[in-house]
Amino acid sequence: MPHRLSTLSAKIAATAAVICLVEVLIDQAPAFLWTAALGWIFALAATRPPVRRNRAAQVALAAATLFVAALFDDPSELAVLLFLVAIVLAALLPRRRFDTAIAWGLRLAWAGLTALLLPIRDLGLTARARGRRAGPGLRLGTMVAMLALPITGGALFLTLFAQANPLIESAFAGMVLPDIGVVLFRGVIAIVVLLPVWATLRPDPRGTGWDGALPAVALPQVGSATLILSLATFNTIFALQNALDLAFLWSGARLPAGVTMADYAHRGAYALIVTALLAGLFVLVTLRPGSPGAASPAVRRLVTLWIVQNVLLVASSALRTLDYVDAYSMTVLRLSALIWMALVATGLMLILWRLLAGRSSAWLVNANALAAAVVLTGCTLVDLRATAAAWNVDMAIRRYTPLADLDLCYLDTLGPSAILPLARLEQAARDPAARDAIASLRSEAQQTLTAQQSSSRGWTWRGARRLASVEAMMGATPPRLRPAPNGRRCGIIAPPPEPAPAPAPLTKAPQR
C-alpha cells in the first residue's frame, strides 16, 4: 500500500505541475499549447513505466511529440485533436495490444466519457486507504465534522471583532481579494487540464477490458450467379463512363456543341467519388472473406476489373478537378478534394489487395486508418492555404496572366498564408498597375503578420519564418503605392464614382 500511495503521489504532483504550467502560460497563447502538451508527455513517461517499456506506446508517444512540433510551428484544431488521440493511445496501449482501429476508436471514446469520473473515483479510493491506515477516528467524514465547528466559530468571532475594533476592521479593509471572475476562469482551466491528464496517468481499466468484438450483423447472402450478373452489369456501365472520360477528358477530343470543358470537369468530379465509395461498400458487404462469392474465380475476376475501373474513375475525377482548377484557379476546398480523392483511391486498392491476398477485415480497417492518419498528419504539417496560393501564383507567373484575370480577391482572403507567393508574384509582375495592386495586398498581409508576430499570443514559428523570408525578399519598409483616393478593392485602385446624371430641365405647362 505505501508503494501505491507513493506512486499516486507522484502522479498527483505531475498533474499539478502540468496545471501550474498552463496557469502560468495561459496568457501567452498559443505558446501554452505546445509547452503544456510537452509537459503532459513528460508527466506520462515519468509516472507510467509501462509506457516507456511498451513499443506500441513508444510509437504513440513519438507521434504525440510530432504533433507538439506541429503546435509549435502553427497551432490548429486538427493538431490538437491528433495530439490527444496519440497521447491517450500511448496511455492505454500498455494494457492491451492494438487490434482494430474501430475497437480502439470506441476505447478512446470511452476514455473521454469517463475522464470526468476518474478524479472522483481516485479521491474516494485515497480517502478509504488513508482511513484504513490511520484508524476509524480519522476518516474523511470525521475530519470534516471535526473542523466544521472551529472554522465556523472562528469566522463568526473575527467578524464581530472587526465591527468592534477599528484596527482589525482596517486590517480587513486593506486586504485585496482576487477578482471572482479571474478565480472562476483559472478554476475552469485547472479542471480542463486535470481531467484529460489524470485520465492518462490513471486510466480506467474497463476501457481496455473490452475485446473490441462488435455484435454480429446478419447480412443477406448473395449467390454467385447474382453476383456475376450484377458485376457484369456494373462493369459495362462503368466501362461506358470510363470510355467517355478517356475520349474527352484524357485525350482532349472536342466536346459536343454546348458543352464546355469546365462544365464537363466540374459536374462529375464529386458525383463520381460517391459512385466509387458505393462500389467499395458493395464489395465489402457482398464479398466477405469465406463467402461463396469470394471463393468464385469468375466473381474475383469481375471484382478485380470493377475495382480497377473505379480507380480509373477516381483518377478521372481528379483530372476533372485539375482541369477546373486550371480554368478557375486553386482553392483550399479543391485542394482538399484532391487529397480526399487520393485517399479514396488508396482505399479501393486496399480493398482489392484484401480480396486477392485473403486479408482479414481487421487488416483492411487498420490499413485504411493508417492511410487516413498519414494524410491528416500531413495536413497538420503543411499549410493548405499557402499551398493553394503558391499554385495560383506559379500558374500566373508561368502564363504571364494579366491583371484582369488574376484572382487577387481570393489571394487576399488567404491572409498571411499567401504572403510569400504574393511577394514572388510582385517581383515577377511586368505591368506597373498589376505590381501596384499585388504590392498593396502583400504589404497589407505583411503588416498583419508583423502585428501577429509582435504579440506573444499570436507568435508562431511558421509566422516568424515567413516574416523573415518576405523581409529578405522585399524589405521591412512599406512599398510606395499609387494614390488611391477612392480606396482599393482586392488591391486594385477603385475608379472614381460616376457623376450623377443632370436633372431634366423643368418645362412650363402651356397656358390656355
Side-chain angles (χ1 to χ4, degrees):
M1 184 63 66
H3 172 69
R4 290 185 179 179
L5 289 178
S6 63
T7 303
L8 184 62
S9 300
K11 294 177 179 178
I12 292 174
T15 305
V18 177
I19 293 175
C20 291
L21 185 64
V22 174
E23 294 284 4
V24 170
L25 298 176
I26 187 66
D27 293 328
Q28 300 180 9
F32 88 94
L33 277 176
W34 66 268
T35 49
L38 200 58
W40 189 353
I41 292 175
F42 285 143
L44 179 61
T47 60
R48 295 277 309 279
V51 172
R52 301 194 301 267
R53 296 191 295 264
N54 186 276
R55 182 168 298 180
Q58 293 172 1
V59 173
L61 273 184
T65 307
L66 176 63
F67 297 128
V68 171
L71 290 173
F72 176 68
D73 184 42
D74 191 27
S76 65
E77 293 81 0
L78 180 59
V80 172
L81 176 61
L82 293 178
F83 168 78
L84 291 175
V85 171
I87 198 167
V88 176
L89 275 175
L92 299 182
L93 279 170
R95 296 190 170 186
R96 190 179 193 92
R97 68 175 184 85
F98 193 94
D99 39 21
T100 66
I102 293 178
W104 273 96
L106 295 174
R107 291 178 187 129
L108 292 177
W110 174 261
L113 291 174
T114 56
L116 180 63
L117 303 176
L118 295 181
I120 301 174
R121 175 206 65 181
D122 291 332
L123 184 62
L125 292 176
T126 304
R128 287 195 295 269
R130 292 188 181 276
R132 286 193 295 267
R133 292 179 61 200
L138 290 178
R139 292 182 182 274
L140 181 62
T142 305
M143 293 179 62
V144 172
M146 181 178 63
L147 296 175
L149 181 59
I151 292 176
T152 305
L156 174 62
F157 288 126
L158 275 177
T159 303
L160 293 174
F161 283 142
Q163 294 179 356
N165 191 323
L167 295 178
I168 298 179
E169 183 182 14
S170 62
F172 277 120
M175 296 175 60
V176 179
L177 297 178
D179 183 17
I180 187 63
V182 174
V183 173
L184 291 177
F185 174 73
R186 296 289 183 171
V188 170
I189 292 296
I191 294 174
V192 169
V193 176
L194 167 69
L195 295 180
V197 173
W198 192 254
T200 57
L201 302 188
R202 293 268 300 172
D204 186 2
R206 292 174 296 176
T208 52
W210 176 58
D211 61 1
L214 297 174
V217 179
L219 297 175
Q221 293 288 340
V222 181
S224 298
T226 303
L227 280 175
I228 291 174
L229 289 175
S230 300
L231 290 170
T233 303
F234 298 161
N235 272 300
T236 302
I237 297 173
F238 274 59
L240 175 62
Q241 173 64 42
N242 284 322
L244 292 173
D245 282 344
L246 290 173
F248 297 109
L249 197 63
W250 293 89
S251 67
R254 185 183 299 274
L255 288 167
V259 180
T260 65
M261 178 56 71
D263 292 336
Y264 187 81
H266 183 62
R267 288 188 58 185
Y270 301 108
L272 295 182
I273 290 296
V274 175
T275 303
L277 290 173
L278 291 175
L281 180 62
F282 176 84
V283 173
L284 289 176
V285 171
T286 58
L287 277 86
R288 299 183 302 277
S291 63
S296 172
V299 171
R300 292 167 67 89
R301 294 191 193 99
L302 288 172
V303 166
T304 301
L305 176 61
W306 194 31
I307 293 180
V308 170
Q309 288 209 77
N310 274 278
V311 173
L312 178 58
L313 205 65
V314 174
S316 298
S317 299
L319 184 60
R320 288 167 182 260
T321 305
L322 289 174
D323 286 340
Y324 195 76
V325 165
D326 187 63
Y328 295 102
S329 78
M330 176 68 78
T331 64
V332 175
L333 181 60
R334 292 163 193 165
L335 180 58
S336 302
L338 288 170
I339 296 173
W340 167 246
M341 292 173 191
L343 195 58
V344 171
T346 302
L348 290 171
M349 295 304 297
L350 290 173
I351 292 174
L352 178 59
W353 180 253
R354 175 225 188 183
L355 179 66
L356 297 179
R359 298 285 186 173
S360 64
S361 298
W363 176 89
L364 181 63
V365 169
N366 291 342
N368 278 279
L370 178 61
V374 170
V375 169
L376 291 176
T377 301
C379 291
T380 63
L381 302 177
V382 177
D383 188 352
L384 299 184
R385 297 163 64 89
T387 304
W391 178 296
N392 293 332
V393 166
D394 289 341
M395 292 297 105
I397 294 174
R398 195 174 302 170
R399 299 170 180 172
Y400 305 104
T401 306
L403 177 61
D405 295 334
L406 284 175
D407 193 357
L408 294 181
C409 290
Y410 182 71
L411 291 175
D412 188 24
T413 62
L414 298 178
S417 294
I419 189 171
L420 290 177
L422 281 172
R424 289 193 293 109
L425 186 61
E426 181 182 350
Q427 290 179 334
R430 299 179 179 180
D431 179 20
R435 188 182 302 112
D436 176 78
I438 298 166
S440 173
L441 293 183
R442 190 266 305 170
S443 176
E444 183 179 349
Q446 189 169 345
Q447 292 174 10
T448 301
L449 184 58
T450 302
Q452 291 176 355
Q453 293 301 113
S454 62
S455 169
S456 60
R457 299 182 65 88
W459 186 93
T460 64
W461 188 29
R462 180 178 294 174
R465 297 198 311 272
R466 279 180 179 156
L467 189 58
S469 298
V470 75
E471 288 180 352
M473 294 173 61
M474 313 301 296
T477 57
R480 293 183 178 179
L481 302 176
R482 295 180 175 182
N486 299 299
R488 293 174 180 265
R489 182 180 180 276
C490 303
I492 302 175
I493 298 175
E498 296 182 359
L506 298 175
T507 59
K508 293 183 179 180
Q511 296 180 356
R512 296 182 180 180

